[in-house]
Amino acid sequence: MHTLSFLSRDLTKIIVFSLTIITSFYMLAVISYHAVLPMNKMNSDKPLASEMAEEYMGQAGVVLFAAAVAISTLGGNVVALLGYSRYLQAAGAQEILPAAFGLVSKRFRTPIFSLIYLGTTTAIFISVGNVYSLISYASYTQFAFSSLCAVGVMVMRFTLPQHHRPFRVWLVFPLVTALFGVYMFVMPWFGDDVLLSGVWLGVTLLGGIPCYFLCVNKKYRLRILVSLSEKSVTFLSRALNSEVNLQ
């Protein structure tokens, strides 16, 4: 967000226009499905896009739609990768995460260590399971922390009312986000994957909480870990031709 010149003005417009455009496209897609496909095909297990393409353009349409979906997925992954890596980089620069996450490439200005971390963790997740498990449990963790962030926005609105913020949102938005996240967080416990949900939550908490207090929190972090973090930043900045970007 710090790359925008007029954050409070531009970000609000970006959110409104992007959500409007995406919602419009999704609604048009749903309407087109209902206009082309009969109800029995709508209820089938096959992808609706492929069914509509075959109904409207034949086998060539199936190939065309499959290519379009692949390109769209690639674009979505690129955007998500850039966004998540920037989150980690900003958190590292502000000492919310270890300082190594704040490293950016001197040549390309990309969050190089964050990209390496995301690629490594993704490869590990895929190697120990399958892509469906990755989607399920990564989303499960994401909804948990998204809910906590939304709750934090509401709490800080009352505890730090004069604190500077780049832009303000109506409280109804973080409230809806928190409630939706709680629903997505709680529902898996009533399904068939109760044990796996508990294991995933335990691994996340047992790994993240000690890491924060021992490596990040200035009150509790150990000196030896602080020294190790500083040395690792120095080594990585030289090895990756990068620097910590504090802006």
Side-chain angles (χ1 to χ4, degrees), residues 60-119:
V62 176
V63 177
L64 180 62
F65 268 60
V69 170
I71 295 173
S72 175
T73 302
L74 178 62
N77 287 333
V78 170
V79 172
L81 185 62
L82 292 175
Y84 289 139
S85 63
R86 287 293 180 184
Y87 296 156
L88 295 175
Q89 185 272 323
Q94 298 175 14
E95 297 185 348
I96 300 174
L97 289 176
F101 285 97
L103 291 173
V104 296
S105 171
K106 292 181 180 180
R107 181 180 180 184
F108 301 105
R109 310 308 297 171
T110 53
I112 185 168
F113 183 79
S114 298
L115 290 171
I116 294 174
Y117 170 79
L118 289 173

Side-chain angles (χ1 to χ4, degrees), residues 7-84:
L7 182 60
S8 59
R9 183 195 68 188
D10 295 341
L11 189 59
T12 304
K13 292 182 179 179
I14 290 171
I15 294 174
V16 172
F17 285 121
S18 61
L19 288 178
T20 302
I21 292 171
I22 292 173
T23 303
S24 300
F25 276 117
Y26 270 100
M27 292 299 296
L28 289 174
V30 173
I31 293 173
S32 65
Y33 292 154
H34 284 278
V36 174
L37 297 176
M39 189 56 64
N40 60 335
K41 290 191 175 182
M42 291 280 291
N43 294 328
S44 66
D45 295 332
K46 295 182 179 180
L48 292 179
S50 298
E51 289 279 4
M52 189 181 72
E54 186 175 9
E55 185 79 17
Y56 190 68
M57 294 182 289
Q59 191 61 33
V62 176
V63 177
L64 180 62
F65 268 60
V69 170
I71 295 173
S72 175
T73 302
L74 178 62
N77 287 333
V78 170
V79 172
L81 185 62
L82 292 175
Y84 289 139

